[in-house]
Amino acid sequence: MHDKGVLAIVSGPSAAGKGTVVRRAMNIAAEIGQDVQLSISMTSRGIKKDEEEGVTYYYVTRERFEEAIAGDELIEYNCYNGNYYGTPKKAIADRIERGTSVVLEIDVNGADQVVKLFPEAVRIFVMPPSMEELEKRIRLRGRETEEEIVQRLAKAKEEIPRALDYDYIIINDIIEDAAGDLLNTIVAEKNRSCRKKWIIDEVLGK
Amino acid sequence: MHDKGVLAIVSGPSAAGKGTVVRRAMNIAAEIGQDVQLSISMTSRGIKKDEEEGVTYYYVTRERFEEAIAGDELIEYNCYNGNYYGTPKKAIADRIERGTSVVLEIDVNGADQVVKLFPEAVRIFVMPPSMEELEKRIRLRGRETEEEIVQRLAKAKEEIPRALDYDYIIINDIIEDAAGDLLNTIVAEKNRSCRKKWIIDEVLGK
């Protein structure tokens, strides 16, 4: 027997910096040789140059993607301008079984869905240090209109209390610290007794 | 508001190497500047040279110790050749309140007692890699008679399945790795949502 990987669901309000923290954590994991990978989505759009099958996405035909939807093979999926994007269950389950930990960045509503499918998943909420800082980050991105900014902040105010439904709350003040905390948490969770049951029989030679 | 410290209860069968792993973890914590300290016991015996009040022990008179017993100030206590040794509740509670994490090394039976007093404590079970290795370590210590060794191994066989009552199981194969895992776990647990509730109101400016 060997350790299974940890499925880490990373969520939090938009502009809290989930993506940046997760990507930095993946780089640190690679640097220190921790077997932690980002969940890879499946898409029906064509592969672009500089992209790689099984790295940027799993590339499939539109027909295959719709077959996956029909066969309930996806945790969640969306359609952006005619192309499907989704998270395949099996790709995650296989890697966890092999001992690779998988990080799945998903919005607060999607997270509940994943936990139903993977009850042993670890839920991590990335928290902005303050509403002021969150607003500053949203304005810095400059993607939204004034009205959209107001909506985003209102949505964040609703989402932040849901942090209590998560196992861990990581404050994204300094990205490097938050990324380190995220990776630490995943590594520590590998030793959770629910994931280590097998060692008892092994030590006792059963 | 600020983070509270984590109380880490480290237990496991004797000769699993709890003490060595804990001491090494404390050294690493000091090296990297993590605020984690070993629980300090109270004793009625006199201070020896090279010992320091509040570092090696809290030194009190026999009368004061018996007053502490009567006042239920101790988590547990023992008496070795006329001297009392015990773990004061308040010293642990105060440090956790200040944000210092405290590691309490205690036997499997003592651990249950501590959890009753500190329900948010994190229980960590230090597991030997195998019974063969455990026997090797007991023999290496050379403290026990053949009969005592047989008794110890039988006791370990009973204690090992109790690892399932713990939050984490850390295998002590390579001390350096086990010590790193222990420290990692304590640091990660500081972000447990049950310990981070306060941040939600703070971020929302309530």
Side-chain angles (χ1 to χ4, degrees):
Chain A
M1 277 291 289
H2 64 87
D3 284 336
K4 284 186 181 173
V6 173
L7 173 57
I9 302 168
V10 178
S11 195
S14 76
K18 293 188 291 294
T20 322
V21 170
V22 164
R23 281 190 301 277
R24 181 60 193 130
M26 294 303 102
N27 294 340
I28 300 171
E31 289 161 16
I32 65 173
Q34 279 290 349
D35 191 4
V36 184
Q37 297 175 3
L38 208 54
S39 165
I40 300 155
S41 297
M42 187 164 94
T43 182
S44 65
R45 82 153 162 74
I47 185 163
K48 295 176 180 173
K49 76 183 268 290
D50 306 333
E51 291 188 345
E52 199 182 326
E53 161 66 19
V55 178
T56 41
Y57 285 102
Y58 298 110
Y59 300 90
V60 299
T61 63
R62 182 171 196 79
E63 294 62 37
R64 174 67 191 94
F65 201 109
E66 283 165 350
E67 189 185 297
I69 296 168
D72 190 29
E73 299 172 30
L74 306 169
I75 293 174
E76 48 83 47
Y77 72 97
N78 296 296
C79 193
Y80 299 119
N81 39 38
N83 295 314
Y84 288 117
Y85 299 83
T87 310
K89 277 181 219 170
K90 194 169 181 308
I92 290 178
D94 290 351
R95 285 194 286 172
I96 288 171
E97 198 49 51
R98 281 204 310 272
T100 302
S101 292
V102 178
V103 175
L104 177 59
E105 185 197 336
I106 195 162
D107 68 29
V108 174
N109 297 320
D112 305 343
Q113 197 56 31
V114 181
V115 173
K116 287 198 192 81
L117 291 163
F118 296 95
E120 282 189 354
V122 177
R123 291 156 302 170
I124 300 164
F125 193 93
V126 175
M127 181 77 84
S130 69
M131 288 305 290
E132 296 65 32
E133 179 61 25
L134 186 67
E135 180 168 358
K136 215 178 87 193
R137 289 175 188 177
I138 294 173
R139 292 190 180 281
L140 219 68
R141 295 194 311 190
R143 284 193 216 141
E144 289 90 357
T145 66
E146 196 57 36
E147 191 191 352
E148 286 166 334
I149 291 171
V150 173
Q151 287 168 354
R152 276 211 179 288
L153 290 170
K155 190 156 177 279
K157 275 210 168 74
E158 284 170 27
E159 289 175 339
I160 284 168
R162 295 180 63 180
L164 284 179
D165 305 335
Y166 287 68
D167 300 308
Y168 296 92
I169 300 174
I170 290 176
I171 300 163
N172 181 22
D173 189 0
I174 297 151
I175 287 165
E176 195 65 17
D177 295 349
D181 283 356
L182 173 58
L183 190 59
N184 247 352
T185 304
I186 294 166
V187 172
E189 277 286 331
K190 288 195 84 169
N191 289 327
R192 271 259 152 203
S193 50
C194 64
R195 273 179 269 275
K196 278 271 188 209
K197 287 195 190 84
W198 60 274
I199 195 71
I200 295 173
D201 289 349
E202 196 155 289
V203 168
L204 293 175
K206 284 186 183 166
Chain B
M1 276 291 288
H2 65 86
D3 284 336
K4 284 185 181 175
V6 172
L7 173 58
I9 302 169
V10 178
S11 195
S14 76
K18 293 188 292 294
T20 322
V21 170
V22 163
R23 280 190 301 277
R24 182 57 194 133
M26 293 304 100
N27 294 341
I28 300 170
E31 289 162 16
I32 66 174
Q34 280 290 349
D35 191 4
V36 183
Q37 298 174 3
L38 208 54
S39 165
I40 300 156
S41 295
M42 187 164 95
T43 182
S44 65
R45 81 151 162 77
I47 185 162
K48 294 178 181 172
K49 75 184 269 288
D50 305 334
E51 290 188 346
E52 199 182 326
E53 161 66 20
V55 177
T56 41
Y57 285 102
Y58 298 110
Y59 301 89
V60 298
T61 62
R62 181 173 196 79
E63 295 61 38
R64 174 66 192 97
F65 201 108
E66 283 165 350
E67 189 185 295
I69 296 168
D72 190 29
E73 299 172 30
L74 305 170
I75 294 175
E76 47 82 47
Y77 73 96
N78 297 294
C79 193
Y80 298 117
N81 39 34
N83 295 316
Y84 286 117
Y85 299 84
T87 310
K89 278 181 216 168
K90 194 169 180 307
I92 291 178
D94 291 349
R95 287 194 285 172
I96 288 171
E97 199 48 52
R98 281 204 310 273
T100 301
S101 293
V102 177
V103 175
L104 177 59
E105 184 198 337
I106 195 162
D107 69 28
V108 174
N109 298 320
D112 305 342
Q113 198 54 33
V114 182
V115 173
K116 288 198 192 81
L117 292 165
F118 297 94
E120 282 188 355
V122 177
R123 291 154 302 170
I124 300 164
F125 192 94
V126 175
M127 180 78 84
S130 68
M131 288 306 290
E132 295 66 29
E133 179 61 24
L134 186 67
E135 180 168 358
K136 214 178 88 192
R137 290 175 187 177
I138 294 174
R139 292 190 181 281
L140 219 66
R141 296 194 310 192
R143 285 193 216 141
E144 289 89 358
T145 67
E146 195 57 36
E147 189 189 356
E148 286 166 336
I149 291 171
V150 173
Q151 285 168 353
R152 277 212 177 287
L153 290 170
K155 188 153 180 280
K157 274 209 170 73
E158 285 170 26
E159 289 175 338
I160 284 167
R162 295 181 62 179
L164 284 178
D165 305 334
Y166 286 68
D167 299 308
Y168 296 91
I169 300 174
I170 291 176
I171 300 164
N172 181 22
D173 188 1
I174 297 152
I175 286 166
E176 195 64 18
D177 294 350
D181 283 357
L182 173 58
L183 190 59
N184 249 351
T185 304
I186 294 166
V187 173
E189 277 286 332
K190 288 195 84 168
N191 288 328
R192 272 260 153 204
S193 49
C194 64
R195 273 180 271 275
K196 277 267 186 216
K197 286 196 190 86
W198 61 273
I199 195 70
I200 294 174
D201 288 347
E202 195 155 290
V203 169
L204 293 175
K206 283 183 182 169

